[in-house]
Structure formats: structure tokens, C-alpha cells
Amino acid sequence: MTSLTFLHRIQIEPEENVGDLHDGNGLSDATKPNGEITNPIFENIDYDLLTPGNHELIAYDVAYEAFSSFTKVYGEKYLASNLDICKNCQDNEPTEKEWVAMGSRYRHFTTKHGIRIMAFGVILDGTNNNKSMTRIQPAAEMIEEDWFKKAVNTSDIDIFVLIGHNPVKPGIPKAESSFPLLMETLRKARPEIPVQGFGGHTHRRDFHVYDEKSSAIESGKYCDTVGWISLDGITSKSISSRETKPELQSTSDNDADLVNVDDTTCPKNKTFKMDLTRRYLDWNRLTFSYHASGSQDQFNTASGLDVSQQIDDARNSHNLTHVYGCAPRTYCISCKPSGDEGNVYTLVKDAAAATVVDPNRANKSRMIIVNQGAIRYDLVKGPFTVDDSYIVCPYTNTFKYIPDVPYSLASNVLDYMIEQKTKRKRSMTVDTISSQLLGYDECDNPSSHNATSLLKPKSLFGRVLETDTATPGYTTCDDLGNDGDDTPHSTIPDYPQQPYVQATAQFPSDGEPDKTDIIFSDFLAGNVVSALNSFKPETEYSTSDVTLYLPANFTTNSFIPRYATMAWQDNIDNCKIEE
């Protein structure tokens, strides 16, 4: 009997990464292809297992770069159990596509402590990949493949590890996880072998127990969390004849068999026979320094300082520190109610009205519709830089429009689109662990996971905080209770937001216009056309009525920076970072 310790996205034994290394940071997004700088930086990490996320698969050049270069660095460690890529599609559309696996179908390896692992990397069915360059095999088909059955029935396995850009919680709206099917398949085939999963995609901290010997963790979003797991009591014939001790010892703090423990704020009601400890560690230097073994004075390694220098040099060479303006306050996605001055979508309305304007149609009334998912993160008070612009709004969708729409039709479009979006959400199974319903084409800021009261300081290594005053952050409730957050936080308010917002400009001061231009990001064209036609216009609209409103180089990544150069110039030379 021995123990196995995992870190989700950083190193102990083994280390996992479940994808999405692109979109949302200037360092990755300011290059062509996206990731030209950041991929070599990530390659400094000695991952044991990796698998791609949907953001590696949306743009054809990013997908091909990942396949032709990044996956080659890691070899068999890079898992793509149900993902193929077109090997001959990078230059043009070939007569006949050559499909090959984007990575290894599985990895069978032995850790330095003698644990024999069989690992699979399975991406979510139906995610928003570039389908001309990549193809995803549904998990239900994958488990019928001969290679999969052969791998599952390999004799020398102590534990299955399932990684994937895949929600760990069953029934997440619009992102139906394939993990439950895979867990059930593995457990039925080899009931004596435990399964540990590592998921992603829905931007949450979560731990889900499937049955008494299978579970999975999801570790936050945007590099804000390291997920830590220790499993004790794994039987391995390969080490039964010798005594092996893991480098890192831990004691279970969730009582091993948690059966119907009553807690009205966060009930622990799962039967789980594995002796397991899990933690969500805040991703910052203080956390890493505290938990690092050895002298804290030597936390800066030579290789780490070299990588830091690479990052600084790249940020400077790509002008990522250039300041567009000095943001007068913090604008958050969901910590303020809709319409509040501190809500980022209130800012979006002001910025779009001021900047999304064709000089040749500046005297025309206009309505600009922006979807909620266009904004990826809060905008923080202080210097608003090129890098911040990618963090807040990384996507580069062009602005298109339908000109001179009768206002009697145009005025109903927003409500119709919101109603249709709401209907789709209502038809889905609502998951109680998160109030945010994520879609494949959206990357929203999630809630803080069922607000709980302030936890007493408690950690893996007996960490004691000097004060009970907590900073705002995650307050996580998962299948093992509410003691998973390594650092206790105070709850962040989470207000519901509409899926779309609308700005207006050049409207008459004394009423409504007869006609208006409807402007929107390019991928909303079908939604807007459908909305207009739902009101039975004299002549039906079609996508052929949609044309480019502004030059293609002015995108959804451009309008807030443009607004900052117009409205946030006060105190720009002495702009302070919000503390």
C-alpha cells in the first residue's frame, strides 16, 4: 500500500495540464500564430500528462502549431485519445485529407515510486473546434475502439488517470461532460482499479465523486488555481516486495469514508472508499513560497529567473506594457448588478457607443449589440495596458451591420435574443454548484461557488493564518465539503447578467428614430437575422443583408482600448495600480 500525489497544472507526481493555453493574455495573443511566445515558455514545465483544450483547436494555425511543434516536445505525454488533426490542411484545402492523431491515444507508465498508471486524455464532445482542421470522436464511439479496450485490459495497472478539457460535474448545461460515461466504462471493465480524473472547461473549482473508487477535480480558471490531490492506500504489485515512501506525506482531512455527514451549508453525502486529500491552492507566489520545501530564501531558481526574464523581454518587445489610459475605477463582470457604474457591461455600452462608429454613417442612429462572452475578465482600476486589453477582451471578431432597419423592428431585437438564450438555458439541467451557465462559444467569469461562511484557517501542512480577515475569492463547496480552499476567502457577490448588452448612439433627443443601423460582432449575424424575421417584416432579412461595418482590423478587442485613449487620459502619467 502506498500513496500517490497529483498536482493539477504544476509539478509533484504526476503533473497534469488539461489545455486552454491560448486566448486571454497579451503574451499569448499578440503574436501570429497565437502562442508563438508562450508555447516555448510552457515547454520549460516537465509535465507528466497534457491534453488540449478547445482554445488550441479554434484557429487552424494555432492547432497546427500545437500539433507540429508543441506536442513533439512532450511526445507520448501529450494525450489526444479522441482527437485527430488534418496533417495536410495547413496551407489549403486538400483533395483528400490525411487525418492523424493529434497526440498519443493513451500513456502507460510507472512513477518513480512504482505506481503503474494508465492514462487517457479525452476532450469534451462537440466543443467549438475548427472542424476543417480537427475532428473530435464522441466518447461513446471511442470506448468501442479496439485500442481503447486493449489499453483498459492491460494487466499491470494500479490506477487509471483520466484527463481532459471536460467538466467533472455531470449535467453541466450546454457542456455535457463525457467523464461520467468514461468513469462508468473503466469501473465496469476493471472494478478493482480506482480512477482519478482531472477536468476543465467550465472555469470552476470542483471535486466530484462518481462512486466509491472514482473521482475527479477541476481547478479553477485562467491559472488562478493549482489543484492538489493525494491518494493513499493504492495497492501495487510492482512495489509489494519493497518498502517505498513518497516524498510528500499528507493526512486525510476529509475523514476517508464520508457517508451522509450532515452539513446544511455544504453537505458531505458521498460514499468514497479512497483515502484522499484535495486542495485548491491560490495561484500566487505567496502560496508557492509557503508550500515549497527547503529554504524560502532560495525560492528563486536560476531556471525560474531565466523564464521570468524571457517573459519581461517578450512583454517589452511586443509593447504589452503600453498604457492606453488610466481606468478611474474597477469594472467587474458579476460582482456588481447590471447597470451599476462598476459593472463592466455598463462600461461596454459607453465604450461601444463612443467608438463603434463608421465616419461615413456617423449621423445615422445606431444600436450596437455585444454578447456577454466577449468580455472575459474584470477590468481593474489603474493603468489599462495592451496586455490588459487582451485579458479583458481577447477575441477579435469584426463588427458587421444591417443598415437602415425600421426602428419598430430593431427595438425588439435585443429582447428577442435574450429571450431565446434564456429559453435554451431553461431547457438544460441546472447544476447547483455554479450560477453561471457556460456555452461552447462563451467564456464567462464564474460565480464563487455557493457562498459559504468564512472558514477557519486550515491547510495541508498545518498552515495557520495570522488573521481571520480574509480576502475576496473562491468559497468552494464540492462533493467533499467546504474545506478544499487552501486559503480561506470572503465571498464575492455574484449578480446575474444578461447574455447580451446594447448600446445606442445618435438617437434623436426628443424621441425615437424612424430607422437605425444594427451593429454586432460577426458571429451574431444569424441571431440578429432570426430576431428580425421573427417579427414578420414585409421583406425577410438574410445573411446577405449583413455587411462589414468597420475595417476588419477594428475588432471586439479594439473598442475598449480606443475608448481608453479618448476618456481615460486624466492622471495618465501618474496612474497607480489598484492595491
Side-chain angles (χ1 to χ4, degrees):
M1 306 282 279
T2 188
S3 69
L4 182 60
T5 301
F6 298 90
L7 266 182
H8 193 190
R9 300 184 184 144
I10 213 162
Q11 174 72 30
I12 295 186
E13 182 201 40
E15 172 194 5
E16 330 286 350
N17 184 299
V18 295
D20 274 8
L21 304 181
H22 301 261
D23 297 325
N25 183 282
L27 206 61
S28 70
D29 298 353
T31 60
K32 188 70 174 177
N34 178 312
E36 189 175 60
I37 294 172
T38 48
N39 276 356
I41 291 173
F42 286 125
E43 289 165 9
N44 286 279
I45 305 174
D46 186 20
Y47 287 114
D48 294 290
L49 298 169
L50 308 85
T51 194
N54 58 293
H55 284 262
E56 276 76 66
L57 309 177
I58 297 172
Y60 78 93
D61 54 345
V62 172
Y64 191 78
E65 172 67 17
F67 166 69
S68 62
S69 180
F70 192 67
T71 67
K72 301 303 184 287
V73 173
Y74 291 100
E76 66 172 7
K77 299 177 180 180
Y78 196 95
L79 300 179
S81 298
N82 66 330
L83 176 64
D84 294 335
I85 189 166
C86 178
K87 189 177 181 180
N88 59 337
C89 292
Q90 68 273 23
D91 295 323
N92 49 50
E93 188 73 15
T95 303
E96 184 174 351
K97 292 184 177 182
E98 182 183 353
W99 293 102
V100 296
M102 190 164 176
S104 300
R105 295 304 191 197
Y106 61 91
R107 186 185 182 204
H108 186 215
F109 66 106
T110 303
T111 73
K112 61 185 177 181
H113 296 308
I115 301 294
R116 300 166 301 179
I117 294 176
M118 177 64 75
F120 303 98
V122 184
I123 195 169
L124 178 74
D125 291 353
T127 192
N128 61 333
N129 59 308
N130 184 315
K131 293 175 176 57
S132 65
M133 174 62 76
T134 60
R135 65 182 186 187
I136 296 171
Q137 183 183 33
E141 294 179 11
M142 185 201 76
I143 61 176
E144 298 300 326
E145 297 283 355
D146 289 341
W147 69 261
F148 179 79
K149 294 178 180 178
K150 183 178 179 181
V152 169
N153 289 299
T154 300
S155 59
D156 51 343
I157 300 173
D158 300 315
I159 185 171
F160 287 112
V161 171
L162 176 63
I163 70 171
H165 203 70
N166 223 319
V168 303
K169 181 77 73 176
I172 298 298
K174 207 182 176 184
E176 194 68 38
S177 175
S178 55
F179 267 28
L181 170 65
L182 296 165
M183 291 288 184
E184 180 184 11
T185 301
L186 294 172
R187 295 288 292 122
K188 282 184 177 179
R190 303 294 295 276
E192 77 284 7
I193 298 177
V195 188
Q196 181 58 53
F198 298 87
H201 187 63
T202 49
H203 301 175
R204 72 184 71 215
R205 290 182 177 186
D206 194 12
F207 188 90
H208 184 65
V209 174
Y210 298 92
D211 68 13
E212 60 187 18
K213 295 182 75 172
S214 63
S215 61
I217 190 172
E218 192 169 340
S219 300
K221 67 184 188 305
Y222 313 150
C223 276
D224 68 2
T225 304
V226 177
W228 189 96
I229 286 179
S230 177
L231 281 169
D232 294 310
I234 298 172
T235 302
S236 175
K237 293 180 180 179
S238 69
I239 60 173
S240 60
S241 61
R242 56 189 173 87
E243 184 178 349
T244 304
K245 294 184 178 180
E247 288 183 346
L248 180 63
Q249 295 284 350
S250 70
T251 58
S252 176
D253 59 5
N254 53 44
D255 302 322
D257 290 343
L258 294 171
V259 185
N260 298 324
V261 179
D262 184 26
D263 185 332
T264 56
T265 61
C266 186
K268 308 173 186 180
N269 54 10
K270 297 285 185 176
T271 301
F272 194 56
K273 289 188 176 180
M274 301 300 296
D275 190 6
L276 178 145
T277 300
R278 59 82 179 85
R279 274 292 184 274
Y280 308 105
L281 284 75
D282 290 356
W283 189 299
N284 57 54
R285 183 184 174 91
L286 288 175
T287 296
F288 299 156
S289 179
Y290 182 88
H291 288 303
S293 59
S295 172
Q296 304 307 305
D297 295 334
Q298 299 179 20
F299 191 68
N300 288 328
T301 66
S303 59
L305 291 172
D306 181 61
V307 170
S308 295
Q309 189 61 54
Q310 292 178 43
I311 292 172
D312 286 343
D313 291 345
R315 284 172 55 81
N316 290 328
S317 65
H318 284 78
N319 204 29
L320 298 181
T321 57
H322 171 73
V323 178
Y324 288 119
C326 187
R329 62 177 302 156
T330 291
Y331 302 89
C332 66
I333 286 180
S334 59
C335 74
K336 299 288 185 180
S338 179
D340 189 281
E341 288 186 3
N343 183 295
V344 74
Y345 299 106
T346 303
L347 169 66
V348 165
K349 292 180 183 180
D350 293 340
T355 65
V356 182
V357 51
D358 177 358
N360 297 319
R361 299 186 67 83
N363 63 337
K364 300 281 187 178
S365 296
R366 57 188 183 274
M367 302 166 63
I368 306 108
I369 298 175
V370 179
N371 72 306
Q372 182 189 24
I375 305 301
R376 191 171 171 88
Y377 211 71
D378 301 346
L379 193 158
V380 180
K381 179 180 179 180
F384 180 69
T385 66
V386 173
D387 194 26
D388 294 319
S389 72
Y390 284 102
I391 292 170
V392 174
C393 187
Y395 305 115
T396 53
N397 299 100
T398 58
F399 284 101
K400 294 191 174 181
Y401 83 121
I402 300 175
D404 298 323
V405 177
Y407 184 73
S408 59
L409 294 175
S411 60
N412 295 308
V413 167
L414 179 68
D415 288 342
Y416 179 86
M417 290 175 62
I418 291 174
E419 180 183 1
Q420 294 304 303
K421 187 81 167 181
T422 303
K423 283 182 179 179
R424 288 196 295 272
K425 289 181 178 180
R426 285 173 181 166
S427 68
M428 301 166 188
T429 304
V430 177
D431 172 55
T432 58
I433 200 166
S434 174
S435 65
Q436 292 287 353
L437 311 180
L438 301 185
Y440 295 133
D441 58 348
E442 299 171 0
C443 289
D444 301 335
N445 197 29
S447 69
S448 53
H449 296 249
N450 288 356
T452 59
S453 58
L454 180 63
L455 308 180
K456 291 298 182 182
K458 179 180 182 182
S459 92
L460 302 170
F461 308 101
R463 181 182 184 187
V464 177
L465 303 182
E466 294 181 357
T467 177
D468 281 348
T469 302
T471 57
Y474 278 107
T475 52
T476 309
C477 174
D478 61 27
D479 280 2
L480 295 184
N482 58 11
D483 60 353
D485 295 318
D486 184 62
T487 302
H489 298 114
S490 60
T491 302
I492 299 174
D494 180 52
Y495 294 93
Q497 306 296 321
Q498 295 287 11
Y500 307 98
V501 295
Q502 177 178 281
T504 59
Q506 209 60 29
F507 270 42
S509 59
D510 57 350
E512 300 169 345
D514 292 329
K515 295 181 179 181
T516 182
D517 291 347
I518 301 183
I519 307 160
F520 42 85
S521 54
D522 50 22
F523 74 93
L524 292 179
N527 302 58
V528 173
V529 168
S530 295
L532 289 171
N533 288 333
S534 72
F535 301 110
K536 309 299 183 184
E538 292 183 6
T539 302
E540 280 206 348
Y541 289 89
S542 72
T543 52
S544 63
D545 296 310
V546 177
T547 57
L548 197 64
Y549 180 72
L550 288 170
N553 63 354
F554 189 92
T555 70
T556 48
N557 175 247
S558 307
F559 76 98
I560 294 180
R562 176 72 62 84
Y563 182 75
T565 64
M566 295 166 53
W568 293 347
Q569 296 306 296
D570 292 346
N571 204 36
I572 190 170
D573 294 328
N574 191 33
C575 191
K576 303 293 186 182
I577 296 175
E578 177 82 321
E579 295 183 358

